[in-house]
Structure formats: structure tokens, C-alpha cells
Amino acid sequence: DQQVKQNSPSLSVQEGRISILNCDYTNSMFDYFLWYKKYPAEGPTFLISISSIKDKNEDGRFTVFLNKSAKHLSLHIVPSQPGDSAVYFCAATDNYGQNFVFGPGTRLSVLP
Amino acid sequence: DTGVSQDPRHKITKRGQNVTFRCDPISEHNRLYWYRQTLGQGPEFLTYFQNEAQLEKSRLLSDRFSAERPKGSFSTLEIQRTEQGDSAMYLCASSLIGLANYNEQFFGPGTRLTVL
């Protein structure tokens, strides 16, 4: 029973265009959502997060949107760069920061 | 800033042997998490500590698994009587409660376990 789903295992985008990565969750107790980026042979690196009291959070080229009623969030990367090529994980927690649940990841390839 | 370190980076063992992994979190971080990641999946939560207290354990953590954080600094994860299904990447992460962004976890590079 996957509580956090990333239904696209992979995504290819041209350099300079927008990358949109999607994430759906089922547990309404989740209050805080995070995106992590992972390069091969490294641990995940925190990218951006959003609390359930917001519907948008922006940090440079990265924006996360949260639609709480649809239990859906998305990560937008604009403009996409070849260095963004990595696996992106969506994660959720109940804001007590105890039990984090990760999605299976989406592999983003940004083509030059 | 030395980041989160894990030792060893790779471990190959035979089925039935015991293995122990070590995690050194970022020095001032009071929360420490252990995760397991298999191919094509995201990290799966195993357990976490706040200081030296183990506050939460996943049902994934069978009785063959034990974790400690004796002085609230480094942590060890031991797997007894390893099975081939234990083959995975074991990730450690730390965070600091008390900051506004305490949910932000910093991950180590992981220990890849292969059970033959």
C-alpha cells in the first residue's frame, strides 16, 4: 500500500524547458511535503518543501505546488538544466517529523 | 561542515552472518533516522532517534535488526543472521529539532549491503 505515489518512473525534457514532476498521496494526516534529488552513489539531497498551510513555495528555479483537496503536489523546474538530471523523490510526513514516507522516485533526464 | 558520514560504504557478507553499520550525523543534529532503499524504490523508514532515545520503529524492522545511539551522537544498525532479502542500500539521515525547517533531513551516502 503505497501512501506516496510518483506514477512517472522517468521524464525527459529539453534544456531550457519546464520540468514538471508529480506526486500523489493517500494519507490525509500528512502535513508536510518535501522533494529530494538523488545523484548516483550519493544520498538524497533536500531540494524544497511545503507545509500543508500553503499551496505554493518557490526557491529559485524550483517551485512546489500543493493541492490538498486532490492530495497532489508537483515540482516545477524552470528552466531545466542538464545538471538537474537525477532521480527526484517526493516525501511526506505528519509534521512531527517522525515517520517520513517516500515515493518511488522519478528519473529526470534533461537533454542538452 | 562534514555532513553525514556512513561506514562502511559497501559490505558483502554471507547469509547468516551478522553485520553492523555506523552513521555519524552532523554534529549538532539531535534527530537521526535509518532508512532502507531497494532498487527502483524510495527510501523506506526503519527507525529514528531523538538524542539517544529510539522513538519510532517501523514494522519493517524485524527482531533481527537493532539500532542504537548510545550517547546521542553516532548510531549503529546491526542486522543479525542476514538473509538475501536484506540486500539493500541502508541510508542514515539527521536533522535538528528546534529549527523552523526541522523536517529537512540531511542524508549520508549510504551503506550498500550485499548478502550472498
Side-chain angles (χ1 to χ4, degrees), chain B residues 38-63:
Chain B
T38 53
L39 198 62
Q41 299 298 317
E44 294 176 291
F45 169 81
L46 292 178
T47 188
Y48 93 97
F49 294 82
Q50 183 154 322
N51 300 312
E52 66 275 8
Q54 188 173 17
L55 296 186
E56 184 81 12
K57 285 196 287 187
S58 163
R59 55 188 162 83
L60 290 175
L61 209 68
S62 77
D63 56 4

Side-chain angles (χ1 to χ4, degrees), chain A residues 20-35:
Chain A
I20 300 176
L21 295 93
N22 292 304
C23 177
D24 296 285
Y25 63 97
T26 57
N27 190 337
S28 56
M29 296 299 292
F30 289 146
D31 249 348
Y32 200 88
F33 305 89
L34 309 95
W35 285 94

Side-chain angles (χ1 to χ4, degrees), chain A residues 1 3 30 40 44 48 54-55 65-66 74 83 87 90 93-95 99 101 107 110-111:
Chain A
D1 177 25
Q3 296 185 68
F30 289 146
I48 192 169
K54 294 185 176 182
D55 55 17
F65 296 91
L66 174 63
S74 60
V87 177
C90 171
T93 183
D94 58 5
N95 212 30
N99 187 351
V101 181
R107 181 177 299 280
V110 180
L111 309 173

